[in-house]
Amino acid sequence: MIIHREDGYELATDPDRLDIGLVHHWLSTDAFWALGRSRETVERSVRASVNFGVYDAHGTQVAYARVVTDLATFAWLCDVYVEPAHRGKGLGTWLATAVRDHLAPYRLKRILLSTLDAHDVYAKAGFVPVPDPRRLMVMEPPA
């Protein structure tokens, strides 16, 4: 899938187009949820996910997101990152909306994500707070 914006940005799902070194750098050094993540882990996660890259008019990657899904019932939107110089241009919302639209034909029961500070970005794409968080559970890795 490829989508173009009038301002020259392009969104694509081709994993071969991703700059894995850049994605690893963003996640491991600037994304609070992934600080210190190894390149091997990033590479493995890319291989096992549906990936979304955003590119500027020169073809340079400026944003990333991935979806972990079975394409039948459930999806988890994660590792959403927009390079600081390109923030404030609606790329995060565009990315979340593209994910939503890409997954729509699969009629998934649920798409989840976790965010600390970008609730408004995801709300514009249709995400809402979990109605009953008491139904959700998590398993943390052993200490």
Side-chain angles (χ1 to χ4, degrees):
M1 168 180 84
I2 297 176
I3 303 170
H4 298 274
R5 280 192 358 176
E6 290 182 15
D7 59 2
Y9 286 103
E10 180 178 88
L11 184 145
T13 56
D14 180 0
D16 293 330
R17 191 167 170 194
L18 296 172
D19 183 337
I20 302 297
L22 182 59
V23 171
H24 171 252
H25 174 74
W26 287 338
L27 296 177
S28 67
T29 65
D30 193 41
F32 67 86
W33 65 90
L35 293 175
R37 188 178 289 176
S38 73
R39 173 144 180 162
E40 176 190 0
T41 298
V42 171
E43 290 172 354
R44 215 169 359 131
S45 70
V46 167
R47 283 193 305 270
S49 301
V50 179
N51 299 278
F52 296 78
V54 175
Y55 306 88
D56 67 13
H58 305 290
T60 302
Q61 187 171 350
V62 299
Y64 175 73
R66 68 185 182 92
V67 177
V68 180
T69 184
D70 60 10
L71 295 176
T73 62
F74 177 79
W76 176 263
L77 172 58
C78 55
D79 289 342
V80 179
Y81 186 90
V82 177
E83 187 174 84
H86 295 269
R87 292 179 186 163
K89 300 177 181 184
L91 296 179
T93 297
W94 186 44
L95 206 45
T97 301
V99 167
R100 178 200 68 202
D101 295 349
H102 183 79
L103 296 175
Y106 299 102
R107 301 178 55 140
L108 305 177
K109 180 173 179 153
R110 186 167 290 116
I111 302 171
L112 291 179
L113 64 83
S114 176
T115 184
L116 181 64
D117 58 0
H119 296 78
D120 291 341
V121 168
Y122 298 110
K124 291 174 186 170
F127 287 88
V128 298
V130 174
D132 185 1
R134 296 173 298 171
R135 293 176 57 189
L136 294 176
M137 296 181 72
V138 64
M139 180 183 290
E140 300 289 343

